[in-house]
Amino acid sequence: MKVLVTGGAGYIGSVVVEQLLKHGHAAVVFDNLSKGHAAAIAPEAVFVQGDLCDRELLTRVLAEQQIEAVIHMAASSLVGESVKQPHLYFENNLVAGVTLLGAMLETGVKKLVFSSTAAVYGAPETMPITEDAPLAPTNPYGESKLAFERLLRWYDEAYSLRYVSLRYFNAAGASERCGEDHAPETHLIPNVLRVAAGKDEYVNVFGENYPTPDGTCIRDYIHVIDLADAHVLALHVLDKRSEIYNLGYGSGYSVAEVVEMARQVTGNWISTEAAPRRAGDPPVLIASPDKIMRDLGWNPRHSELDQIIASAWRWHQAHPNGYEK
Ligand SMILES: NC(=O)c1ccc[n+]([C@@H]2O[C@H](COP(=O)([O-])OP(=O)(O)OC[C@H]3O[C@@H](n4cnc5c(N)ncnc54)[C@H](O)[C@@H]3O)[C@@H](O)[C@H]2O)c1
């Protein structure tokens, strides 16, 4: 299949492109490089630098490249920033998404895989989280993703535009070529590894008195290659129906456990510093992956935390300045 990947120069998008190519699909990356890196794009992919707001360019690319399906990953995704600047989030994650849908309708492209997030659930009480858990985002980022997910249902009903919405939990790890290079970096594992590499003195632990066994937050970390594989599988559903799936492993690790594992994997001491809780951070977020395993036969191969951290560590050691030479 020939697939347009919006955000394909980003952390997860670049690995999704790799996996698409590996499975014999063709990929066209559409990215404005606001956060992504040209060097992250697989050389075999076609790259179009452009913004999702540019409907004319999107329409032209969809038509000229004879795109059959879209994987829509481009977004703004910093929770704290979304609280301070909600407009930016509704504009980039909702309005720009609708622009993309307009271009898809105009060119008859009716298959979409969408990068959604566990943030649509807010702070659920029942673990693991199934797809029918209450939807109650606690920040504009999660709200913008949920709003887009919700409108997809009406595009399906009215225009037969089929979609698979993948609600990712915490993406982590690296492939051989592609890793995490965000500025600012808000994710735990790359920040822990910055300390291990001697780039930062310590890593902040936001809240040490949560109702968890060691008092720190628990998250479901999913290897970016397993995450990417799910997108390739999702493409096959789009002939038949629309679906929503959670993407995580069904088990979680606390911040303290991640730090300890990173000490073991890297062999370096990693200092931590207690910091206040971040607003809206739920104590525990663990996915139930039962539905995607059952329906799509998704079979994760990299679920061990030490493997995840080791892959990220290898990438960061090979790229001490990220994608910059
Ligand atoms: N990283 C995670 O753990 C996680 C968890 C849940 C959901 N997600 C979602 O997965 C997707 C990818 O996340 P990521 O961590 O790879 O983010 P990222 O910031 O590394 O990648 C996003 C890419 O989209 C591009 N982009 C943003 N706005 C654009 C626009 N208007 N036009 C064109 N390109 C644009 C950026 O340049 C970047 O390359 C996002 O939609 C995010 O919300 C990520």
Side-chain angles (χ1 to χ4, degrees), residues 42-120:
E44 303 90 330
V46 174
F47 174 44
V48 177
Q49 184 167 355
D51 194 283
L52 281 177
C53 299
D54 190 342
R55 162 106 180 237
E56 211 183 297
L57 178 61
L58 274 172
T59 308
R60 186 149 33 93
V61 172
L62 288 168
E64 284 179 6
Q65 294 288 338
Q66 300 180 308
I67 297 296
E68 293 160 89
V70 175
I71 299 183
H72 177 36
M73 315 192 73
S76 302
S77 54
L78 299 172
V79 170
E81 181 183 64
S82 82
V83 176
K84 291 194 183 110
Q85 299 186 57
H87 181 70
L88 199 150
Y89 279 70
F90 291 112
E91 198 159 55
N92 207 31
N93 296 355
L94 186 58
V95 178
V98 173
T99 303
L100 169 66
L101 293 176
M104 289 174 66
L105 292 180
E106 198 177 328
T107 50
V109 180
K110 294 196 172 178
K111 293 178 178 178
L112 177 74
V113 179
F114 172 56
S115 299
S116 188
T117 165
V120 299

Side-chain angles (χ1 to χ4, degrees), residues 7 9-13 30-36 50-52 73-75 77 92 115-117 141 145 168-171 182 187:
Y11 166 46
I12 304 172
F30 189 93
D31 199 299
N32 64 5
L33 298 184
S34 58
K35 293 276 158 97
D51 194 283
L52 281 177
M73 315 192 73
S77 54
N92 207 31
S115 299
S116 188
T117 165
Y141 165 62
K145 288 281 182 176
Y168 314 162
F169 282 61
N170 288 56
H182 290 131
H187 293 143

Side-chain angles (χ1 to χ4, degrees), residues 283-301:
V284 184
L285 283 176
I286 295 174
S288 163
D290 290 356
K291 187 178 172 200
I292 191 162
M293 290 175 119
R294 193 180 56 234
D295 279 15
L296 304 191
W298 181 64
N299 179 24
R301 292 168 295 138

Side-chain angles (χ1 to χ4, degrees), residues 264-323:
Q264 285 175 30
V265 168
T266 63
N268 295 342
W269 179 250
I270 296 163
S271 299
T272 61
E273 188 106 342
R277 288 182 179 195
R278 290 184 299 198
D281 245 356
V284 184
L285 283 176
I286 295 174
S288 163
D290 290 356
K291 187 178 172 200
I292 191 162
M293 290 175 119
R294 193 180 56 234
D295 279 15
L296 304 191
W298 181 64
N299 179 24
R301 292 168 295 138
H302 306 278
S303 60
E304 300 301 324
L305 184 65
D306 59 343
Q307 285 183 33
I308 295 175
I309 295 177
S311 71
W313 182 235
R314 274 194 300 277
W315 191 83
H316 285 288
Q317 288 203 301
H319 303 82
N321 300 314
Y323 283 103

Side-chain angles (χ1 to χ4, degrees), residues 28 91 99 113 119 127 138 154 202 221 225 227 240 251 306:
V28 177
E91 198 159 55
T99 303
V113 179
M127 292 297 143
T138 53
W154 304 104
Y202 59 85
Y221 295 93
I225 294 179
L227 190 67
K240 298 164 218 131
S251 54
D306 59 343

Side-chain angles (χ1 to χ4, degrees), residues 187-233:
H187 293 143
L188 179 64
I189 291 176
N191 280 334
V192 163
L193 296 180
R194 285 183 63 81
V195 182
K199 287 184 183 164
D200 289 334
E201 257 177 67
Y202 59 85
V203 65
N204 281 314
V205 178
F206 298 104
E208 292 186 313
N209 57 354
Y210 281 98
T212 58
D214 63 26
T216 64
C217 284
I218 294 176
R219 294 290 179 269
D220 189 336
Y221 295 93
I222 169 170
H223 196 294
V224 65
I225 294 179
D226 285 335
L227 190 67
D229 278 343
H231 294 70
V232 179
L233 293 171

